[in-house]
Amino acid sequence: MYRLICVNCGYTYRKDEIIYECRECGHLLAVEYDLKNIQVSLEEWRQRPLSVWRYRELLPVSGAPVTLQEGGTPLYHLKRIGEELGLPHLYAKHEGMNPSGSFKDRGMTVGVSMALELGKKVVACASTGNTSASLAAYAAKAGIPAVVLLPAGKVALGKVAQALMHGARVISVRGNFDRALEMVHELCISHGLYLLNSVNPFRLEGQKTIGFEVFDQLGRMPDRFVLPVGNAGNISAVYKGYKELMDLGFIEKIPKMTGIQAAGSSPVVRAIEENLPAVVPELSPETVATAIRIGAPVNAEKALTAIRSTGGTAIRVSDAEILAMQCSLAQKEGIGVEPASAASVAGIKRLVEDGALDKDETIVCVVTGHLLKDPETVIKQCKPPVEVDANLTSLLSVLQL
Ligand SMILES: *Cc1c(COP(=O)(O)O)cnc(C)c1O
Ligand SMILES: [Zn+2]
């Protein structure tokens, strides 16, 4: 009970058509459900386990999904960081707790399930790292080959390790992510591989369930929903999901969608600041937060709508602010995330410092990927362990208790 619709011109396509861009105007496609004919209630949902598949009436997959039990991630109250910032209702949704360690698993369970449903035999993506780790795992589960293109030298170690160990064909491209995406897109069109980047409308359907879970876990809607923005798929997906809940009459208001980018890679922020109709791509994006090192976000058009229509905002944070917040989350809250993930909470700190936030707001920050994804950046920030001789005297002389 759905079809594909162009987000720009409204031209519609059959649900089983394999297409990533509108033939009329070249813009992206989205899944549009026949919401009037969907029979579901919040009570019914809430009797099922918390997971992506709790919300299956609003997902495109008809048969049994390819699943590694994704979703159902913890929502933590950030008590200490909240106290420091004067925010009593600050939360973090820890997407690093997914099977492969990032929110990408929510998209891949749906995307790879759809690949099988559509009869596709090989899946592919370009990736700053996590998409490739996730696709490799889900392709392994489905028993089909995966091809992943990575920007050479710019992918965190843990993510490359995952893609390799799960058995994907891993290709390093001498170019940045934006170029790798163009290449894999061409490859998929010319050779019939199934493209699972966030231009794939089905993948984003899985990702919108982050928003649904937050609503269920809080028991109400947050006032503000904060995400790190790279390709801008996730922020667009969560917004789309909340619009569907509103159309179903389950909620009355959508939170202020707030996107955070790294200062060296912030085309969406610029478009919001300068009130541009579209983003101007950045040619050489650079940031320690490699997961959001993207100069030409493919979902930017939808993200701008999400931010503008909810009274949200987009701001940038420096690499130093990102790393400091990664450290705070780890040491004050026990939450281990990779640098890009800390950007959402670092962005909230910046908004507080700029006096741009109502401190009574209920704020949910998505922290997108796990600490172990990028051990090299972590080790660089921490003092190395102290080595001692194997006796108690040496140990005590170091500890100075
Ligand atoms: C993919 C990713 C992002 C960016 O998400 P987009 O949907 O591309 O905006 C942020 N953080 C992590 C850890 C990611 O893997
Ligand atoms: Zn169109």
Side-chain angles (χ1 to χ4, degrees), residues 126-133 149-163 170-173 175 177 288 290-291 293 338 373-377:
S127 175
T128 59
N130 282 329
T131 299
S132 69
L149 272 59
L150 305 176
K154 293 293 183 180
V155 178
L157 193 63
K159 306 175 188 181
V160 184
Q162 288 178 291
V170 181
I171 315 285
S172 243
V173 175
F177 167 82
V288 69
T290 48
R293 185 175 168 271
E338 66 169 289
K373 290 282 190 174
D374 188 356
E376 288 170 311
T377 305

Side-chain angles (χ1 to χ4, degrees), residues 63-133:
V66 177
T67 176
L68 293 166
Q69 302 184 23
E70 46 294 314
T73 55
L75 180 71
Y76 296 123
H77 183 213
L78 297 184
K79 192 161 172 295
R80 291 210 180 83
I81 293 175
E83 264 165 20
E84 280 176 16
L85 298 176
L87 301 173
H89 313 294
L90 179 64
Y91 295 84
K93 175 86 165 149
H94 193 353
E95 287 295 298
M97 302 296 272
N98 275 296
S100 86
S102 84
F103 74 80
K104 300 298 198 299
D105 294 343
R106 295 179 185 271
M108 287 308 172
T109 183
V110 174
V112 173
S113 299
M114 288 306 295
L116 295 190
E117 223 169 283
L118 295 166
K120 302 304 277 187
K121 301 283 186 286
V122 187
V123 287
C125 71
S127 175
T128 59
N130 282 329
T131 299
S132 69

Side-chain angles (χ1 to χ4, degrees), residues 101-104 128-131 159 198 203-204 207 227-236 261 291-292 294 297 299 338-341 367-370 373:
S102 84
F103 74 80
K104 300 298 198 299
T128 59
N130 282 329
T131 299
K159 306 175 188 181
S198 54
R203 200 188 111 183
L204 292 185
Q207 289 176 203
L227 298 118
V229 172
N231 241 333
N234 218 19
I235 192 167
S236 312
Q261 295 199 292
I292 51 174
I294 293 175
N299 288 285
E338 66 169 289
S341 314
V367 295
T368 41
H370 199 277
K373 290 282 190 174

Side-chain angles (χ1 to χ4, degrees), residues 135-150:
L135 181 60
Y138 283 85
K141 178 77 183 174
I144 57 173
V147 175
V148 308
L149 272 59
L150 305 176

